[in-house]
Amino acid sequence: MIDLIKIYKISPKLTLPIRQKVLRNGEIPKELCEFNWDYNEESFHLGAYFNENIIGIVSILNTSKKKSNVKRLRGMAVLSPYQKSGIGSLLIDEAEKILKNNKTSLIWLKAREYALDFYLKKGYKKIGKPFDIEDIGIHYKCEKKIL
C-alpha cells in the first residue's frame, strides 16, 4: 500500500478535518484547529493521499514574522486505519527534503508522549524535560538539524 501513497503540498484548510479527528478526538469544531502561522508565506502543509483521499498531514510553520532558517513541525497526524504503516515517515521525509532545499537549518516540534519514539527514530533529539499541555497531555520538545 505504501507504494500507492502520494504526497502533495496542500492548503491549510485541507489539514483541518484530520487535525480535528486525530489530534482533538473530534471534540472541538474544526475551525478551532487552525494554528497560528498556518498562513505565513514561509509555512507549508503536506497531505498524504491514498486513492485520492487525504489520510495524513503535516504542517511546517515559519513562526517568525520574517523569513527564518528555523521551522516548526506541527499537526502531524495520520488517520487511525493507516497509522504505523509508514505514512508518517513519508510525510516527514518529504517535509525534510523541502526544508533542505530551502536552506532550513533546524526543525523543532513538541512531541506527544506516545509519538516520541517515532520522532527519535527519525533522528530528532529530546530537548529538556517533559511538560504537560492542558487537556492534551505530556509533551517533549524535540529538534533536528537539517543542514
Side-chain angles (χ1 to χ4, degrees), residues 47-68:
Y49 283 80
F50 177 63
N51 289 337
E52 300 181 25
N53 296 306
I54 190 166
I55 60 169
I57 56 162
V58 66
S59 295
I60 305 297
L61 306 175
N62 184 65
T63 58
S64 172
K65 292 184 179 177
K66 52 188 171 183
K67 191 171 182 170
S68 172

Side-chain angles (χ1 to χ4, degrees), residues 77-142:
V78 175
L79 292 175
S80 170
Y82 304 98
Q83 290 176 2
K84 301 197 185 306
S85 65
I87 294 163
S89 285
L90 288 177
L91 285 162
I92 296 263
D93 292 347
E94 183 64 22
E96 289 179 0
K97 186 171 93 177
I98 293 168
L99 291 168
K100 283 179 189 173
N101 288 337
N102 292 340
K103 308 290 188 239
T104 297
S105 61
L106 183 81
I107 185 166
W108 67 278
L109 57 91
K110 295 177 184 176
R112 292 176 187 221
E113 190 170 38
Y114 66 80
L116 180 62
D117 284 342
F118 168 78
Y119 291 109
L120 295 175
K121 287 176 188 169
K122 297 301 290 176
Y124 289 78
K125 306 286 185 225
K126 265 192 305 186
I127 306 298
K129 295 183 180 192
F131 56 94
D132 187 54
I133 295 179
E134 189 176 348
D135 297 326
I136 298 175
I138 301 297
H139 282 67
Y140 295 83
K141 184 174 181 186
C142 299

Side-chain angles (χ1 to χ4, degrees), residues 3-64:
D3 300 353
L4 302 174
I5 303 300
K6 304 261 189 264
I7 307 293
Y8 300 110
K9 278 191 173 181
I10 60 173
S11 75
K13 288 277 186 222
L14 289 176
T15 67
L16 299 181
I18 293 180
R19 284 180 187 171
Q20 178 196 38
K21 185 171 189 162
V22 177
L23 301 176
R24 301 293 186 247
N25 298 320
E27 295 174 1
I28 65 171
K30 67 181 170 192
E31 296 76 26
L32 296 178
C33 294
E34 286 187 344
F35 300 146
N36 291 336
W37 312 108
D38 265 347
Y39 293 92
N40 181 297
E41 65 183 42
E42 298 294 324
S43 296
F44 66 91
H45 311 272
L46 298 176
Y49 283 80
F50 177 63
N51 289 337
E52 300 181 25
N53 296 306
I54 190 166
I55 60 169
I57 56 162
V58 66
S59 295
I60 305 297
L61 306 175
N62 184 65
T63 58
S64 172

